Amino acid sequence: MMPIRCEDIESLLQTHIDGELADDDAREVEAHLAACANCRQHAARERRFHHELRAALAPPPAPEGLRERMGHALDQEEWRMRGQARRSRWLLPAASSLAAAAALLLFAVSPLQAPEPPVADEAVLQHMRRPPIEVQGAAVSPWLQKYYRGRVDMPRFVGVSTELRGARLSQVRGRQAVQFYYDVALGGRQHEVSMQIFDATGFDFSRGFTGSRTSVVEGRPLSYGELRGYGVVAYGGPGGLGYLFTSAHLDGEHLLELVTRSNLLSQGGAR
């Protein structure tokens, strides 16, 4: 195969970290990483995030003494139901077991539920996975009308050279979303930027995300910063739409500058 270039690393790295690359390809990637400091640093961030993600997805340990408390709760419920059974002969024999099981489920599951992480985490994860683009270039607009049910405000950027590379359907918290990929020219270099749009009715963007800062633009608070080595901007826009911008190349501050140069904050774009 041809020697690996820096542009190839972005698409091969996740597969390599997952151990799914062919041996020859894996050796080529490792050889490039050994010779390229920038790609090596990027690979280190990706591996670190991969490790942290696995740790975050591990089931939490049961609180100390949970087994004893569950047993005690079951015993109490069983004795209570037996007393009722003696007073009410018509009580179904299985009722005590059902009630005890319900009490156990409520007691054991509810305390272990954790709050959902900010949607920015989900946006970064999807950017990392790099799923295939479904449609490219000029075909994006008719494709949206055919396959996407929601409303989409496409951005127009002022004073920045951008090119829409393509789009794909995605999901944000179980809601259908559409993800766009742009090539943005800044500082004499091309940078990939992903933008997801979804129906954000009921979403609270004021929480921000870990380490985020807030900038109020056109009366709207925008959360921006770096998350897992990616630049992120997240906010609720006009019409109840949610916007998630991510980039592996631009930090949060430069990504915020790009967003403020769009028409998205003040008015809806063109479908």
Side-chain angles (χ1 to χ4, degrees):
M1 64 180 286
M2 296 290 292
I4 296 291
R5 303 170 301 171
C6 294
E7 303 90 275
D8 303 321
I9 287 295
E10 191 69 33
S11 60
L12 294 174
L13 190 54
Q14 285 306 309
T15 307
H16 179 55
I17 291 175
D18 290 336
E20 297 176 359
L21 272 185
D23 291 343
D24 290 343
D25 293 339
R27 283 192 290 270
E28 289 286 343
V29 169
E30 286 296 335
H32 179 85
L33 295 179
C36 179
N38 288 336
C39 289
R40 189 163 59 251
Q41 292 174 2
H42 179 52
R45 290 196 301 268
E46 295 289 329
R47 288 191 175 102
R48 185 163 56 250
F49 176 69
H50 192 78
H51 176 76
E52 292 174 356
L53 181 63
R54 285 184 177 275
L57 292 177
E64 185 177 354
L66 176 61
R67 184 184 299 273
E68 290 75 15
R69 294 198 299 272
M70 288 169 55
H72 179 71
L74 283 170
D75 290 340
Q76 292 296 318
E77 185 65 18
E78 184 69 17
W79 281 109
R80 187 181 71 82
M81 294 307 297
R82 284 183 181 180
Q84 288 185 2
R86 286 193 295 268
R87 291 189 298 270
S88 305
R89 297 293 182 180
W90 49 265
L91 188 65
L92 293 176
S96 61
S97 298
L98 291 174
L104 171 62
L105 183 63
L106 182 63
F107 181 84
V109 175
S110 297
L112 299 181
Q113 291 177 337
E116 288 186 314
V119 292
D121 290 289
E122 189 166 344
V124 169
L125 180 59
Q126 292 195 31
H127 197 134
M128 284 184 57
R129 289 173 176 166
R130 301 193 59 81
I133 291 175
E134 298 178 29
V135 63
Q136 297 182 353
V140 168
S141 183
W143 173 85
L144 279 175
Q145 295 177 8
K146 183 176 181 180
Y147 293 105
Y148 185 63
R149 297 189 303 268
R151 183 176 125 244
V152 174
D153 289 340
M154 296 290 291
R156 294 191 300 273
F157 298 95
V158 179
V160 181
S161 176
T162 61
E163 180 181 355
L164 177 60
R165 184 193 302 175
R168 59 177 290 270
L169 295 179
S170 62
Q171 284 196 346
V172 175
R173 296 289 166 77
R175 301 185 184 187
Q176 188 185 40
V178 60
Q179 186 173 17
F180 299 94
Y181 293 92
Y182 288 89
D183 286 327
V184 179
L186 284 176
R189 297 182 59 186
Q190 292 290 115
H191 308 276
E192 183 186 74
V193 173
S194 164
M195 176 187 73
Q196 290 200 74
I197 303 178
F198 67 103
D199 177 7
T201 304
F203 276 74
D204 181 11
F205 285 93
S206 64
R207 292 173 56 196
F209 51 90
T210 304
S212 65
R213 289 93 73 193
T214 301
S215 177
V216 179
V217 182
E218 299 287 344
R220 295 186 179 277
L222 280 69
S223 298
Y224 70 99
E226 291 71 47
L227 186 63
R228 317 294 189 185
Y230 285 74
V232 178
V233 174
Y235 71 95
L241 295 179
Y243 294 86
L244 300 169
F245 288 81
T246 56
S247 176
H249 307 129
L250 297 176
D251 60 20
E253 192 167 337
H254 286 92
L255 197 55
L256 176 67
E257 181 182 355
L258 174 68
V259 174
T260 58
R261 292 190 182 186
S262 76
N263 64 320
L264 294 175
L265 296 171
S266 57
Q267 59 184 4
R271 172 79 186 241

mmCIF file of all heavy atoms in Angstrom, residues 11-35:
data_model
loop_
_atom_site.group_PDB
_atom_site.id
_atom_site.type_symbol
_atom_site.label_atom_id
_atom_site.label_comp_id
_atom_site.label_asym_id
_atom_site.label_seq_id
_atom_site.Cartn_x
_atom_site.Cartn_y
_atom_site.Cartn_z
ATOM 1 N N SER A 11 -8.842 8.810 9.557
ATOM 2 C CA SER A 11 -9.823 7.779 9.220
ATOM 3 C C SER A 11 -9.392 6.380 9.667
ATOM 4 O O SER A 11 -10.228 5.500 9.827
ATOM 5 C CB SER A 11 -10.095 7.783 7.715
ATOM 6 O OG SER A 11 -8.900 7.530 6.994
ATOM 7 N N LEU A 12 -8.095 6.167 9.880
ATOM 8 C CA LEU A 12 -7.603 4.838 10.235
ATOM 9 C C LEU A 12 -7.396 4.647 11.736
ATOM 10 O O LEU A 12 -7.354 3.514 12.218
ATOM 11 C CB LEU A 12 -6.269 4.565 9.524
ATOM 12 C CG LEU A 12 -6.305 4.459 7.993
ATOM 13 C CD1 LEU A 12 -4.888 4.346 7.440
ATOM 14 C CD2 LEU A 12 -7.132 3.257 7.570
ATOM 15 N N LEU A 13 -7.296 5.759 12.466
ATOM 16 C CA LEU A 13 -6.813 5.676 13.844
ATOM 17 C C LEU A 13 -7.754 4.889 14.747
ATOM 18 O O LEU A 13 -7.309 4.042 15.529
ATOM 19 C CB LEU A 13 -6.593 7.083 14.402
ATOM 20 C CG LEU A 13 -5.874 7.150 15.754
ATOM 21 C CD1 LEU A 13 -4.552 6.409 15.715
ATOM 22 C CD2 LEU A 13 -5.658 8.606 16.161
ATOM 23 N N GLN A 14 -9.068 5.168 14.670
ATOM 24 C CA GLN A 14 -9.996 4.473 15.555
ATOM 25 C C GLN A 14 -10.001 2.967 15.308
ATOM 26 O O GLN A 14 -10.033 2.168 16.242
ATOM 27 C CB GLN A 14 -11.416 5.039 15.378
ATOM 28 C CG GLN A 14 -11.608 6.391 16.029
ATOM 29 C CD GLN A 14 -11.225 6.391 17.492
ATOM 30 O OE1 GLN A 14 -11.672 5.541 18.246
ATOM 31 N NE2 GLN A 14 -10.394 7.339 17.892
ATOM 32 N N THR A 15 -9.959 2.586 14.036
ATOM 33 C CA THR A 15 -9.912 1.159 13.707
ATOM 34 C C THR A 15 -8.627 0.535 14.238
ATOM 35 O O THR A 15 -8.621 -0.599 14.725
ATOM 36 C CB THR A 15 -10.006 0.962 12.183
ATOM 37 O OG1 THR A 15 -11.156 1.659 11.697
ATOM 38 C CG2 THR A 15 -10.139 -0.513 11.828
ATOM 39 N N HIS A 16 -7.539 1.295 14.159
ATOM 40 C CA HIS A 16 -6.254 0.805 14.669
ATOM 41 C C HIS A 16 -6.300 0.640 16.188
ATOM 42 O O HIS A 16 -5.849 -0.381 16.730
ATOM 43 C CB HIS A 16 -5.148 1.781 14.261
ATOM 44 C CG HIS A 16 -3.787 1.391 14.762
ATOM 45 N ND1 HIS A 16 -3.219 0.166 14.513
ATOM 46 C CD2 HIS A 16 -2.886 2.072 15.526
ATOM 47 C CE1 HIS A 16 -2.020 0.096 15.083
ATOM 48 N NE2 HIS A 16 -1.811 1.240 15.706
ATOM 49 N N ILE A 17 -6.871 1.636 16.893
ATOM 50 C CA ILE A 17 -6.961 1.558 18.353
ATOM 51 C C ILE A 17 -7.820 0.378 18.781
ATOM 52 O O ILE A 17 -7.550 -0.290 19.781
ATOM 53 C CB ILE A 17 -7.518 2.881 18.918
ATOM 54 C CG1 ILE A 17 -6.491 4.004 18.729
ATOM 55 C CG2 ILE A 17 -7.878 2.744 20.395
ATOM 56 C CD1 ILE A 17 -6.976 5.369 19.140
ATOM 57 N N ASP A 18 -8.863 0.089 17.993
ATOM 58 C CA ASP A 18 -9.744 -1.042 18.304
ATOM 59 C C ASP A 18 -9.125 -2.382 17.936
ATOM 60 O O ASP A 18 -9.713 -3.435 18.181
ATOM 61 C CB ASP A 18 -11.076 -0.895 17.573
ATOM 62 C CG ASP A 18 -11.913 0.239 18.136
ATOM 63 O OD1 ASP A 18 -11.712 0.596 19.317
ATOM 64 O OD2 ASP A 18 -12.758 0.767 17.398
ATOM 65 N N GLY A 19 -7.925 -2.364 17.311
ATOM 66 C CA GLY A 19 -7.247 -3.602 16.950
ATOM 67 C C GLY A 19 -7.852 -4.317 15.763
ATOM 68 O O GLY A 19 -7.712 -5.539 15.630
ATOM 69 N N GLU A 20 -8.535 -3.558 14.877
ATOM 70 C CA GLU A 20 -9.242 -4.182 13.760
ATOM 71 C C GLU A 20 -8.572 -3.947 12.409
ATOM 72 O O GLU A 20 -9.094 -4.378 11.387
ATOM 73 C CB GLU A 20 -10.683 -3.668 13.722
ATOM 74 C CG GLU A 20 -11.479 -4.033 14.962
ATOM 75 C CD GLU A 20 -12.875 -3.454 14.980
ATOM 76 O OE1 GLU A 20 -13.216 -2.736 14.015
ATOM 77 O OE2 GLU A 20 -13.608 -3.719 15.925
ATOM 78 N N LEU A 21 -7.438 -3.270 12.404
ATOM 79 C CA LEU A 21 -6.709 -3.080 11.148
ATOM 80 C C LEU A 21 -5.947 -4.348 10.777
ATOM 81 O O LEU A 21 -5.495 -5.103 11.638
ATOM 82 C CB LEU A 21 -5.712 -1.926 11.272
ATOM 83 C CG LEU A 21 -6.184 -0.508 10.950
ATOM 84 C CD1 LEU A 21 -5.010 0.447 11.024
ATOM 85 C CD2 LEU A 21 -6.868 -0.407 9.610
ATOM 86 N N ALA A 22 -5.808 -4.575 9.471
ATOM 87 C CA ALA A 22 -4.961 -5.666 9.014
ATOM 88 C C ALA A 22 -3.525 -5.424 9.475
ATOM 89 O O ALA A 22 -3.107 -4.282 9.683
ATOM 90 C CB ALA A 22 -5.034 -5.770 7.493
ATOM 91 N N ASP A 23 -2.776 -6.501 9.621
ATOM 92 C CA ASP A 23 -1.411 -6.387 10.168
ATOM 93 C C ASP A 23 -0.545 -5.430 9.371
ATOM 94 O O ASP A 23 0.183 -4.602 9.946
ATOM 95 C CB ASP A 23 -0.756 -7.776 10.220
ATOM 96 C CG ASP A 23 -1.409 -8.676 11.251
ATOM 97 O OD1 ASP A 23 -2.118 -8.157 12.127
ATOM 98 O OD2 ASP A 23 -1.193 -9.904 11.173
ATOM 99 N N ASP A 24 -0.589 -5.515 8.047
ATOM 100 C CA ASP A 24 0.241 -4.634 7.215
ATOM 101 C C ASP A 24 -0.146 -3.175 7.404
ATOM 102 O O ASP A 24 0.716 -2.290 7.528
ATOM 103 C CB ASP A 24 0.115 -5.025 5.740
ATOM 104 C CG ASP A 24 0.788 -6.363 5.433
ATOM 105 O OD1 ASP A 24 1.610 -6.811 6.278
ATOM 106 O OD2 ASP A 24 0.498 -6.941 4.375
ATOM 107 N N ASP A 25 -1.459 -2.907 7.435
ATOM 108 C CA ASP A 25 -1.928 -1.536 7.636
ATOM 109 C C ASP A 25 -1.546 -1.024 9.022
ATOM 110 O O ASP A 25 -1.147 0.133 9.179
ATOM 111 C CB ASP A 25 -3.447 -1.463 7.466
ATOM 112 C CG ASP A 25 -3.883 -1.749 6.041
ATOM 113 O OD1 ASP A 25 -3.055 -1.618 5.137
ATOM 114 O OD2 ASP A 25 -5.058 -2.115 5.840
ATOM 115 N N ALA A 26 -1.657 -1.894 10.018
ATOM 116 C CA ALA A 26 -1.305 -1.486 11.378
ATOM 117 C C ALA A 26 0.170 -1.117 11.481
ATOM 118 O O ALA A 26 0.532 -0.140 12.146
ATOM 119 C CB ALA A 26 -1.637 -2.609 12.362
ATOM 120 N N ARG A 27 1.023 -1.894 10.787
ATOM 121 C CA ARG A 27 2.461 -1.571 10.805
ATOM 122 C C ARG A 27 2.729 -0.235 10.123
ATOM 123 O O ARG A 27 3.580 0.548 10.576
ATOM 124 C CB ARG A 27 3.251 -2.695 10.134
ATOM 125 C CG ARG A 27 3.425 -3.932 11.022
ATOM 126 C CD ARG A 27 4.444 -4.884 10.443
ATOM 127 N NE ARG A 27 3.945 -5.530 9.233
ATOM 128 C CZ ARG A 27 3.266 -6.678 9.229
ATOM 129 N NH1 ARG A 27 3.021 -7.299 10.365
ATOM 130 N NH2 ARG A 27 2.852 -7.207 8.099
ATOM 131 N N GLU A 28 1.993 0.052 9.046
ATOM 132 C CA GLU A 28 2.174 1.330 8.359
ATOM 133 C C GLU A 28 1.748 2.496 9.249
ATOM 134 O O GLU A 28 2.409 3.540 9.283
ATOM 135 C CB GLU A 28 1.346 1.337 7.072
ATOM 136 C CG GLU A 28 1.867 0.427 5.966
ATOM 137 C CD GLU A 28 3.116 0.999 5.306
ATOM 138 O OE1 GLU A 28 3.380 2.213 5.468
ATOM 139 O OE2 GLU A 28 3.824 0.238 4.652
ATOM 140 N N VAL A 29 0.642 2.319 9.964
ATOM 141 C CA VAL A 29 0.179 3.373 10.877
ATOM 142 C C VAL A 29 1.193 3.607 11.976
ATOM 143 O O VAL A 29 1.544 4.749 12.297
ATOM 144 C CB VAL A 29 -1.201 3.002 11.469
ATOM 145 C CG1 VAL A 29 -1.568 3.956 12.609
ATOM 146 C CG2 VAL A 29 -2.276 3.035 10.395
ATOM 147 N N GLU A 30 1.687 2.530 12.595
ATOM 148 C CA GLU A 30 2.672 2.682 13.664
ATOM 149 C C GLU A 30 3.954 3.333 13.160
ATOM 150 O O GLU A 30 4.574 4.129 13.874
ATOM 151 C CB GLU A 30 2.978 1.309 14.280
ATOM 152 C CG GLU A 30 1.870 0.760 15.163
ATOM 153 C CD GLU A 30 1.628 1.627 16.382
ATOM 154 O OE1 GLU A 30 2.553 2.343 16.808
ATOM 155 O OE2 GLU A 30 0.509 1.599 16.909
ATOM 156 N N ALA A 31 4.354 3.008 11.947
ATOM 157 C CA ALA A 31 5.558 3.618 11.379
ATOM 158 C C ALA A 31 5.367 5.116 11.187
ATOM 159 O O ALA A 31 6.276 5.922 11.459
ATOM 160 C CB ALA A 31 5.894 2.948 10.040
ATOM 161 N N HIS A 32 4.159 5.503 10.730
ATOM 162 C CA HIS A 32 3.893 6.932 10.561
ATOM 163 C C HIS A 32 3.871 7.644 11.913
ATOM 164 O O HIS A 32 4.419 8.746 12.049
ATOM 165 C CB HIS A 32 2.557 7.139 9.839
ATOM 166 C CG HIS A 32 2.215 8.586 9.644
ATOM 167 N ND1 HIS A 32 2.679 9.329 8.583
ATOM 168 C CD2 HIS A 32 1.479 9.436 10.413
ATOM 169 C CE1 HIS A 32 2.242 10.568 8.688
ATOM 170 N NE2 HIS A 32 1.499 10.662 9.792
ATOM 171 N N LEU A 33 3.228 7.037 12.913
ATOM 172 C CA LEU A 33 3.163 7.654 14.235
ATOM 173 C C LEU A 33 4.549 7.819 14.842
ATOM 174 O O LEU A 33 4.823 8.799 15.547
ATOM 175 C CB LEU A 33 2.282 6.817 15.167
ATOM 176 C CG LEU A 33 0.795 6.720 14.807
ATOM 177 C CD1 LEU A 33 0.061 5.849 15.816
ATOM 178 C CD2 LEU A 33 0.162 8.100 14.740
ATOM 179 N N ALA A 34 5.436 6.870 14.567
ATOM 180 C CA ALA A 34 6.789 6.958 15.102
ATOM 181 C C ALA A 34 7.558 8.128 14.492
ATOM 182 O O ALA A 34 8.431 8.714 15.141
ATOM 183 C CB ALA A 34 7.537 5.650 14.839
ATOM 184 N N ALA A 35 7.185 8.499 13.263
ATOM 185 C CA ALA A 35 7.926 9.545 12.561
ATOM 186 C C ALA A 35 7.267 10.915 12.667
ATOM 187 O O ALA A 35 7.917 11.924 12.397
ATOM 188 C CB ALA A 35 8.081 9.163 11.081
#
